[in-house]
């Protein structure tokens, strides 16, 4: 079963066409890594999948629910607000710069949505939070504030915040780009563990070795199109552009 | 000595009006300022444009003139008798003072709030959206608390100015502290009432500084 289906996605900012007809499918339990040069459309693709940007043309289905489609007459229409809100409950997104809520403690960052959006009791929400913090080795930081955590710890909290809502698919937008190499390792370890648990994930990343190890499918994007995809395009690229890009990583 | 006691007593009776103007203006102008700030940022160009003109006029003309307009406007423009406009125990001259001050301060607060709201990183909105928060939840739970921390020093400035501006109510013959001091000074032929009134204003602002500093400190736990 496909948790994410994106067909013929087009997106322009003004006169700049950033996505030129992208097709991407992600099966349940699959880990997809999206690689490619900056400005190639990776992040925009992720932002379109997570409703942070609205597409101009194409079709997106998340967990079987249609988010948007383009009719034969060329009219692109999103589902109604209530459905969009419901679909948002089915995925999580981990940002490059965390975007934790600085005025909330770690615990409140994780439980706020559970309590006030998903109407769970405080006890229930706290139990979910405690379990996640334990799993991510952050239990002793429950009452800390984001500004007192290292970047790596902040990113783990933001992963916990996304996982708390029990998403069917988790998106990562360059989750380690704001971290130094030492802190990167801790975050990548968490993502690896999630992959082992068969969490469905789409990860935009510049960590080639990590992408190769953890991903079931690799997608190379450049110039607004998917140039090449497959399970071993890093070790065995077919396309000239892919080879050229990977050469930059030695 | 007897004169000083009587001065203090009379200034204290004027202080009631000064405090009344101060607290009522804050009570009305802060929420109104928030609303005006939202209007100023509205995607509706007509709303945004009108609010912009409102702010521009309020900031660009003297508060004293605005007070006079609110007070005399109903009669000269609409022919409404002022005595008919008393609200409960409050004379219209006092009500007009509160209206004038609130409209004026709302414009200043609105610009402070707008600056604070627009300084918020877009990532906070995006994270809130992904987590399913409604627009109202996002604003009141995520954005506003952080905005308050950011704008507090500027708000303190306005609040301190307001304490001193209450003396402008004298143009509507509201017997607030400054009016009292002026009357006493001329009847006693002495500057003592002015000095005492000055101390009153200064002490009030001292208290405000202490309170606002505490408020700032209480939000220092995060950055």
């Amino acid at each position: 079963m496909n948790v994410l289906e994106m067909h013929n996605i087009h997106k322009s900012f003004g006169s700049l066409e950033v996505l030129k007809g992208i097709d991407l499918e992600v099966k349940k339990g699959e880990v997809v890594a999206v690689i490619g040069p900056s400005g190639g459309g990776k992040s925009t693709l992720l932002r379109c999948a997570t409703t942070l940007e609205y597409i101009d043309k194409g079709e997106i289905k998340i967990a079987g629910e249609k988010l948007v489609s383009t009719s034969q007459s060329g009219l692109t229409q999103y589902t109604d607000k209530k459905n969009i809100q419901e679909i948002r409950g089915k995925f999580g997104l981990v940002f490059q710069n965390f975007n934790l809520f600085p005025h909330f403690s770690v615990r409140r960052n994780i439980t706020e949505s559970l309590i006030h959006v998903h109407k769970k009791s405080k006890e229930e929400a706290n139990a979910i939070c405690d379990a996640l913090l334990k799993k991510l080795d952050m239990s002793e930081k429950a009452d800390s504030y984001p500004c007192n955590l290292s970047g790596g710890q902040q990113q783990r909290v933001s992963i916990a915040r996304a996982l708390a809502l029990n998403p069917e698919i988790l998106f990562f937008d360059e989750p380690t780009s704001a971290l130094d190499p030492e802190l990167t390792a801790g975050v990548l370890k968490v993502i690896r563990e999630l992959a082992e648990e068969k969490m469905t994930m789409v990860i935009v990343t510049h960590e080639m070795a990590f992408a190769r190890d953890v991903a079931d499918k690799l997608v190379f994007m450049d110039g607004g199109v998917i140039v090449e995809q497959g399970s071993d395009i890093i070790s065995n690229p077919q396309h000239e552009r892919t080879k050229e890009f990977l050469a930059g990583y030695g | 000595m007897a004169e000083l006691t009587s001065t203090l007593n009379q200034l204290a009776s004027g202080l009631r009006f000064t405090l009344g103007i101060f607290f009522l203006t804050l009570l009305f102008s802060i929420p109104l300022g928030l609303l005006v700030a939202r209007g100023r940022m509205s995607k509706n160009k007509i709303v945004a444009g009108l609010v912009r003109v409102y702010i521009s006029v309020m900031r660009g003309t003297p508060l004293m003139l605005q007070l006079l307009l609110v007070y005399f406007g109903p009669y000269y423009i609409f022919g409404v008798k002022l005595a008919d406009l008393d609200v409960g125990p409050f004379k219209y001259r006092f009500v007009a003072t509160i209206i004038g001050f609130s409209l004026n301060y709302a414009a200043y607060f609105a610009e402070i709030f707008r600056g604070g709201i627009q300084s918020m990183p877009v990532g906070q909105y995006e994270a809130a959206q992904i987590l399913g928060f409604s627009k109202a939840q996002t604003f009141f739970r995520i954005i506003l608390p952080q905005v308050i921390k950011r704008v507090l020093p500027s708000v303190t400035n306005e609040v301190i100015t307001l304490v001193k501006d209450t003396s402008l109510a004298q143009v509507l013959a509201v017997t607030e502290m400054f009016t009292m001091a002026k009357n006493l000074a001329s009847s006693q032929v002495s500057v003592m009432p002015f000095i005492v009134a000055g101390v009153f204003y200064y002490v009030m602002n001292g208290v405000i500084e202490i309170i606002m500093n505490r408020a700032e400190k209480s939000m220092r736990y995060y950055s």
Side-chain angles (χ1 to χ4, degrees):
Chain A
M1 187 194 120
N2 289 328
V3 183
L4 174 71
E5 285 179 30
M6 301 180 88
H7 291 302
N8 195 28
I9 305 296
H10 287 263
K11 172 71 186 172
S12 299
F13 294 109
S15 60
L16 182 70
E17 194 176 21
V18 184
L19 300 178
K20 301 172 182 169
I22 302 282
D23 290 285
L24 181 66
E25 288 182 357
V26 181
K27 293 192 196 74
K28 192 172 168 53
E30 196 174 34
V31 178
V32 174
V34 184
I35 59 171
S38 299
K42 310 183 298 294
S43 285
T44 304
L45 183 69
L46 213 62
R47 291 174 60 82
C48 288
T50 53
T51 71
L52 292 179
E53 299 287 351
Y54 287 83
I55 62 171
D56 302 323
K57 204 171 102 181
E59 187 176 307
I60 302 176
K61 267 188 186 177
I62 295 175
E65 304 254 5
K66 192 184 283 182
L67 173 66
V68 54
S69 59
T70 299
S71 67
Q72 295 215 314
S73 58
L75 184 71
T76 301
Q77 205 162 17
Y78 273 82
T79 182
D80 61 55
K81 268 189 178 170
K82 194 169 155 278
N83 276 336
I84 293 181
Q85 199 64 1
E86 208 159 288
I87 291 171
R88 278 182 188 143
K90 294 183 188 293
F91 63 79
L93 171 61
V94 174
F95 296 86
Q96 179 177 347
N97 47 2
F98 331 132
N99 289 336
L100 292 173
F101 304 128
H103 57 310
F104 288 166
S105 65
V106 165
R107 176 178 301 284
R108 222 174 138 194
N109 262 285
I110 295 169
T111 57
E112 191 78 354
S113 169
L114 283 172
I115 295 170
H116 296 287
V117 178
H118 298 269
K119 305 295 173 203
K120 296 226 187 287
S121 71
K122 217 172 169 186
E123 293 71 34
E124 235 177 318
N126 277 331
I128 292 171
C129 171
D130 288 334
L132 280 169
L133 288 178
K134 186 161 179 236
K135 181 173 161 182
L136 299 188
D137 207 12
M138 293 280 295
S139 292
E140 74 284 12
K141 298 289 184 190
D143 299 316
S144 300
Y145 285 85
C147 61
N148 296 322
L149 302 178
S150 74
Q153 289 170 329
Q154 289 189 49
Q155 194 56 301
R156 276 185 277 163
V157 173
S158 96
I159 293 172
R161 182 174 71 170
L163 286 173
L165 305 183
N166 196 22
E168 296 193 29
I169 179 167
L170 198 48
F171 296 93
F172 294 81
D173 189 6
E174 302 192 20
T176 60
S177 291
L179 305 175
D180 67 43
E182 221 167 310
L183 298 177
T184 297
V187 171
L188 295 185
K189 182 170 156 269
V190 168
I191 302 174
R192 272 204 181 90
E193 284 165 6
L194 291 174
E196 278 161 24
E197 293 165 21
K198 290 290 164 210
M199 180 80 208
T200 312
M201 294 186 282
V202 177
I203 309 164
V204 170
T205 183
H206 288 293
E207 299 283 335
M208 290 308 139
F210 165 74
R212 191 186 52 212
D213 291 353
V214 79
D216 303 304
K217 181 162 87 181
L218 291 152
V219 174
F220 175 66
M221 270 184 82
D222 186 24
V225 296
I226 293 179
V227 177
E228 182 169 359
Q229 56 179 305
S231 58
D232 62 346
I233 62 169
I234 289 182
S235 33
N236 190 16
Q238 299 300 309
H239 209 280
E240 276 311 312
R241 183 64 189 99
T242 319
K243 287 178 190 166
E244 195 186 331
F245 171 75
L246 290 170
Y249 283 87
Chain B
M1 191 63 216
E3 204 166 54
L4 183 64
T5 317
S6 123
T7 302
L8 281 174
N9 275 337
Q10 296 202 50
L11 287 182
S13 81
L15 189 62
R16 280 182 317 162
F17 283 103
T18 297
L19 290 175
I21 297 167
F22 175 75
F23 283 113
L24 287 174
T25 299
L26 285 186
L27 180 70
F28 294 122
S29 65
I30 288 179
L32 185 60
L34 205 52
L35 208 66
V36 173
R38 304 286 299 193
R40 174 79 171 71
M41 295 181 289
S42 170
K43 280 184 195 130
N44 184 327
K45 285 209 173 111
I46 298 168
V47 172
L50 285 175
V51 171
R52 217 181 173 129
V53 171
Y54 165 77
I55 292 173
S56 169
V57 170
M58 284 296 157
R59 295 201 304 180
T61 58
L63 174 53
M64 195 186 279
L65 183 147
Q66 293 164 14
L67 290 173
L68 289 168
L69 257 174
V70 174
Y71 185 61
F72 290 113
Y75 182 71
Y76 287 119
I77 301 172
F78 304 109
V80 179
K81 278 255 183 64
L82 295 177
D84 302 339
L85 294 171
D86 292 355
V87 176
F90 299 111
K91 292 274 177 230
Y92 183 63
R93 61 180 72 252
F94 184 72
V95 176
T97 305
I98 301 303
I99 294 175
F101 269 91
S102 299
L103 290 178
N104 180 277
Y105 271 79
Y108 284 94
F109 281 132
E111 284 298 271
I112 293 174
F113 296 154
R114 180 174 69 92
I117 291 169
Q118 289 181 336
S119 75
M120 289 295 297
V122 67
Q124 291 289 302
Y125 290 94
E126 293 184 346
Q129 180 182 319
I130 295 283
L131 292 168
F133 291 108
S134 70
K135 284 211 164 126
Q137 283 176 323
T138 302
F139 185 72
F140 287 107
R141 290 184 179 280
I142 313 293
I143 304 298
L144 191 58
Q146 298 183 59
V147 167
I148 290 173
K149 179 185 165 95
R150 287 173 189 220
V151 302
L152 215 54
S154 314
V155 167
T156 304
N157 252 338
E158 286 305 313
V159 173
I160 285 173
T161 304
L162 174 60
V163 168
K164 295 174 290 178
D165 274 357
T166 54
S167 61
L168 289 172
Q170 62 169 304
V171 296
L172 301 189
V174 172
T175 50
E176 45 69 51
M177 195 167 58
F178 191 80
T179 312
M180 284 292 193
K182 214 174 57 173
N183 295 344
L184 286 169
S186 64
S187 71
Q188 294 173 9
V189 201
S190 153
V191 290
M192 189 45 104
F194 283 137
I195 292 172
V196 176
V199 171
F200 270 41
Y201 286 117
Y202 187 71
V203 169
M204 258 180 88
N205 277 330
V207 173
I208 288 168
E209 272 181 49
I210 292 169
I211 292 172
M212 295 307 257
N213 274 336
R214 286 218 178 133
E216 276 183 48
K217 261 193 200 140
S218 76
M219 284 182 268
R220 218 168 272 168
Y221 68 89
Y222 73 90
S223 54

